[in-house]
């Protein structure tokens, strides 16, 4: 099946009617959007019939790959059985219950934390709004209503709603929305390549970077801090992987001051880092875990929060009615698709695959990028990779923003049939977890080709 469509017609209707997310509308209308028409396995096709290897899994979503009939069948069956019913007013539905129990069984206990409860939404952003509501309610119920401040990190991405964007540390987003909303504050991110001091080891830097949390807690006042929120590794910010010493030190600090820890795993859960959840990879103990995206492999919107025993106990035992929820909380079709998706992941042992041989092969092939003259540092974790493109490898000299090196590299990727994301001067990938060794080889061939062509163009412009 090849779905070639009238590209010009779709593009003109797109310009006329569709305001895209995170888009300069005028700029897009002048060039026309790329129209993606179908997908299978690890590939997508555009309206001109061009086949593109999708090394971003859609947008960190499609962990089981495209074209999975089991997911379509689950949606079809559930739509014919019960397409929708709300979970307000003391009602429930079978897939929502089964999924909550399944997620609880997959989320491992760590130390004194266990996860038996789920609060559902339809996206990562909504889930983080729910986190703000639950965290504040928790401290109110414990008689500490002054604990309102949530600490996050610069360059973090936690969504695009008012609370999500406030928790996020993207200055461009804050500038356009009078954000952050009150009582949200940020610390610097643990980006060793960028801000590690000369002579400082990454382990030393990790401890120093975690120390910024303690400094902030003391500056705000320990009795006013409600929670710290972070992604296990920063995804949309450019795949910033923390040094090994970072998370243990963060854990020590949140424990010392008794503040809640929110692990935003919208990208890092469901096998992405070689475990069901990202906190397992880094060995910390969150109180709340945000999920979305790959819970359904992106086939249908679903998000939520795994609510750990510490918070759940207080909300359940002492909370009375919690005045928060969404029309689509526990949507039966989304939950049925999620169950089918998790069943595929279990059957094909995708987290174990990423943790084992195939993940090791990916890591080894990705690390080879460090030999490329343009690459300052290429690091991976599970099935996520990020590299920084530099002018000079020896002294780590970076490109200017105007050089738009990431965009140049991205255009060579598209030109040669590869989707790799650019975040400033960083290039990032998060491929589907179903990749074989041969798929990884093909992806690496395309990445090297894009880097070589980028280097050629930069040389021609006298920039390297
Ligand atoms: N938290 C994290 C860690 C995310 O990565 C969200 C929350 C928000 O989820 P929703 O479903 O509301 O979009 C995300 C989303 C990118 C990119 O460019 C990444 C995301 C969204 C859009 C673009 O890498 N992540």
């Amino acid at each position: 099946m090849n779905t070639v469509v009238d590209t010009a017609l779709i593009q003109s209707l797109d310009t006329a009617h569709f305001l895209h997310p995170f888009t300069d509308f005028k700029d897009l209308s002048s060039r026309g959007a790329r129209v993606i028409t179908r997908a299978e396995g690890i590939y997508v096709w555009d309206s001109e019939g061009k086949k593109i290897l999708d090394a971003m899994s859609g947008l960190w979503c499609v962990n089981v790959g495209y074209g999975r009939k089991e997911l379509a069948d689950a949606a079809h069956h559930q739509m014919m059985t019960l397409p929708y019913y709300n979970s307000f007013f003391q009602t429930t539905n079978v897939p929502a219950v089964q999924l909550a129990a399944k997620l609880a069984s997959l989320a491992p206990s760590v130390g004194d934390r266990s996860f038996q409860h789920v609060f559902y939404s339809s996206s990562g952003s909504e889930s983080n709004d729910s986190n703000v509501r639950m965290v504040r309610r928790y401290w109110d119920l414990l008689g500490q209503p002054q604990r309102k401040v949530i600490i996050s990190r610069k360059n973090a991405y936690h969504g695009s709603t008012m609370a999500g964007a406030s928790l996020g540390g993207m200055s461009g987003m804050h500038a356009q929305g009078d954000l952050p909303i009150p009582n949200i504050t940020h610390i610097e991110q643990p980006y060793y390549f960028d801000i590690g001091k000369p002579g400082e080891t990454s382990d030393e830097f990790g401890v120093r970077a975690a120390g910024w949390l303690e400094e902030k807690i003391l500056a705000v006042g320990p009795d006013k801090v409600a929670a710290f929120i972070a992604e296990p590794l920063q995804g949309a910010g450019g795949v910033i992987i923390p040094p090994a010493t970072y998370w243990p030190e963060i854990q020590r600090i949140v424990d010392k001051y008794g503040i809640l820890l929110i692990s935003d795993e919208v990208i890092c859960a469901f096998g992405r880092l070689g475990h069901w959840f990202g906190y397992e990879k880094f060995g910390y103990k969150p109180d709340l875990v945000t999920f979305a995206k790959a819970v359904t492999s992106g086939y249908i919107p679903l998000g939520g929060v795994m609510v750990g025993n510490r918070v759940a106990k207080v909300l359940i035992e002492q909370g009375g009615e919690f005045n928060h929820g969404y029309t689509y909380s526990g949507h039966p079709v989304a939950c049925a698709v999620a169950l089918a998706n998790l069943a595929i992941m279990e059957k094909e042992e995708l987290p174990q695959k990423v943790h084992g041989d195939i993940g090791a092969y990916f890591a080894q092939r990705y690390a080879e990028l460090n030999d490329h003259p343009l690459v300052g540092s290429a690091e991976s974790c599970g099935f996520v990779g990020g590299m920084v493109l530099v002018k000079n490898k020896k002294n780590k000299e970076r490109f200017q923003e105007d050089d738009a090196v990431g965009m140049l590299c991205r255009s060579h990727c598209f030109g040669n049939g590869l989707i790799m994301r650019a975040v400033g001067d960083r290039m990032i990938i998060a491929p589907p977890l179903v990749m074989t060794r041969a798929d990884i080889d093909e992806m690496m061939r395309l990445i090297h080709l894009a880097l070589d062509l980028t280097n050629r163009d930069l040389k021609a412009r006298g920039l390297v």
Side-chain angles (χ1 to χ4, degrees):
M1 176 188 52
N2 203 353
T3 348
V4 178
V5 300
D6 182 342
T7 306
L9 174 66
I10 295 295
Q11 286 176 332
S12 74
L13 288 171
D14 184 74
T15 298
H17 302 293
F18 184 4
L19 297 177
H20 291 242
F22 281 91
T23 294
D24 177 335
F25 308 126
K26 202 187 229 174
D27 176 67
L28 181 62
S29 70
S30 71
R31 57 183 87 228
R34 178 174 289 101
V35 185
I36 302 296
T37 50
R38 76 177 186 99
E40 183 66 40
I42 61 165
Y43 288 95
V44 297
W45 280 259
D46 73 11
S47 55
E48 307 289 277
K50 187 178 169 69
K51 181 181 175 186
I52 310 167
L53 191 157
D54 181 9
M56 273 310 295
S57 304
L59 198 51
W60 322 86
C61 291
V62 190
N63 286 15
V64 298
Y66 296 100
R68 291 304 192 117
K69 187 168 177 301
E70 300 94 314
L71 302 198
D73 288 346
H76 180 259
H77 180 259
Q78 188 56 44
M79 281 192 187
M80 297 310 290
T81 312
L82 178 72
Y84 174 74
Y85 200 77
N86 74 74
S87 47
F88 291 51
F89 320 128
Q90 310 196 345
T91 54
T92 194
N93 69 75
V94 177
V97 174
Q98 288 177 332
L99 179 62
K102 183 78 211 170
L103 289 167
S105 77
L106 293 176
S109 300
V110 263
D112 54 357
R113 308 290 199 283
S114 71
F115 297 91
Q116 295 307 320
H117 295 89
V118 178
F119 192 91
Y120 287 117
S121 73
S122 302
S123 70
S125 302
E126 286 177 349
S127 304
N128 281 328
D129 277 48
S130 298
N131 274 327
V132 175
R133 296 292 304 275
M134 281 192 273
V135 161
R136 294 201 170 152
R137 182 82 184 127
Y138 170 83
W139 287 115
D140 282 353
L141 289 166
L142 289 184
Q144 299 186 52
Q146 80 288 351
R147 280 203 191 248
K148 289 270 185 288
V149 176
I150 301 179
I151 302 174
S152 180
R153 301 185 297 188
K154 292 182 184 160
N155 197 39
Y157 192 79
H158 296 300
S160 204
T161 52
M162 294 294 275
S166 296
L167 292 169
M170 304 280 178
S171 52
M173 292 174 78
H174 292 172
Q176 289 184 357
D178 279 334
L179 302 176
I181 56 174
N183 290 315
I184 291 176
T185 183
H186 299 81
I187 59 172
E188 194 50 79
Q189 60 178 338
Y191 187 4
Y192 176 60
F193 185 86
D194 196 44
I195 50 179
K197 288 181 188 161
E200 186 179 37
T201 65
S202 74
D203 280 354
E204 287 163 355
F205 172 75
V207 173
R208 183 162 70 89
W212 297 325
L213 175 61
E214 187 155 24
E215 283 170 23
K216 183 62 100 176
I217 291 169
L218 294 173
V220 169
D223 61 327
K224 295 197 177 60
V225 179
F228 175 59
I229 182 169
E231 303 160 71
L233 55 83
Q234 308 229 114
V239 180
I240 313 293
I241 303 171
T245 50
Y246 183 75
W247 272 112
E249 185 62 6
I250 291 285
Q251 184 73 56
R252 186 190 69 74
I253 295 166
V254 293
D255 285 349
K256 178 172 172 190
Y257 296 97
I259 66 176
L260 295 170
L261 178 57
I262 309 169
S263 187
D264 183 344
E265 309 211 354
V266 167
I267 284 173
C268 293
F270 308 114
R272 177 60 59 202
L273 304 187
H275 299 266
W276 284 103
F277 290 92
Y279 67 84
E280 291 173 75
K281 167 77 190 169
F282 291 104
Y284 57 87
K285 302 186 291 179
D287 296 295
L288 297 153
V289 179
T290 320
F291 65 87
K293 292 190 188 275
V295 67
T296 59
S297 282
Y299 279 54
I300 196 163
L302 180 67
V305 180
M306 302 294 302
V307 184
N309 52 336
R310 179 178 171 195
V311 174
K313 195 160 180 281
V314 173
L315 294 185
I316 295 165
E317 303 291 333
Q318 296 170 236
E321 180 168 334
F322 183 42
N323 299 323
H324 174 68
Y326 308 105
T327 299
Y328 298 126
S329 289
H331 193 289
V333 179
C335 293
V337 172
L339 282 164
N341 175 57
L342 297 178
I344 291 179
M345 290 186 176
E346 276 192 312
K347 190 164 144 241
E348 299 181 5
E349 301 187 325
L350 295 183
Q352 294 88 330
K353 242 184 82 182
V354 172
H355 190 67
D357 275 11
I358 197 88
Y361 186 66
F362 174 82
Q364 174 213 322
R365 294 295 330 265
Y366 197 79
E368 288 166 20
L369 291 167
N370 283 301
D371 297 333
H372 195 277
L374 262 188
V375 176
S377 163
E379 282 183 284
S380 69
C381 181
F383 255 40
V384 181
M387 61 180 149
V388 54
L389 305 184
V390 292
K391 233 173 143 79
N392 183 327
K393 252 175 126 73
K394 288 206 184 79
N395 65 10
K396 291 177 155 188
E397 190 190 350
R398 309 282 280 272
F399 290 98
Q400 302 293 310
E401 213 176 309
D402 286 353
D403 298 337
V405 64
M407 286 301 157
L408 175 63
C409 184
R410 192 180 75 165
S411 64
H412 282 306
C413 291
F414 270 125
N416 290 290
L418 171 71
I419 294 173
M420 176 158 69
R421 204 145 124 42
V423 181
D425 58 5
R426 294 185 65 81
M427 301 304 300
I428 63 178
I429 54 168
L433 311 186
V434 290
M435 274 199 167
T436 61
R437 280 169 184 251
D439 293 332
I440 293 172
D441 288 342
E442 173 61 1
M443 176 176 72
M444 295 312 301
R445 184 185 73 78
L446 292 169
I447 292 175
H448 278 282
L449 178 60
L451 287 173
D452 289 345
L453 293 172
T454 305
N455 204 23
R456 181 202 64 189
D457 289 359
L458 291 168
K459 271 192 185 135
R461 283 160 58 191
L463 287 171
V464 290

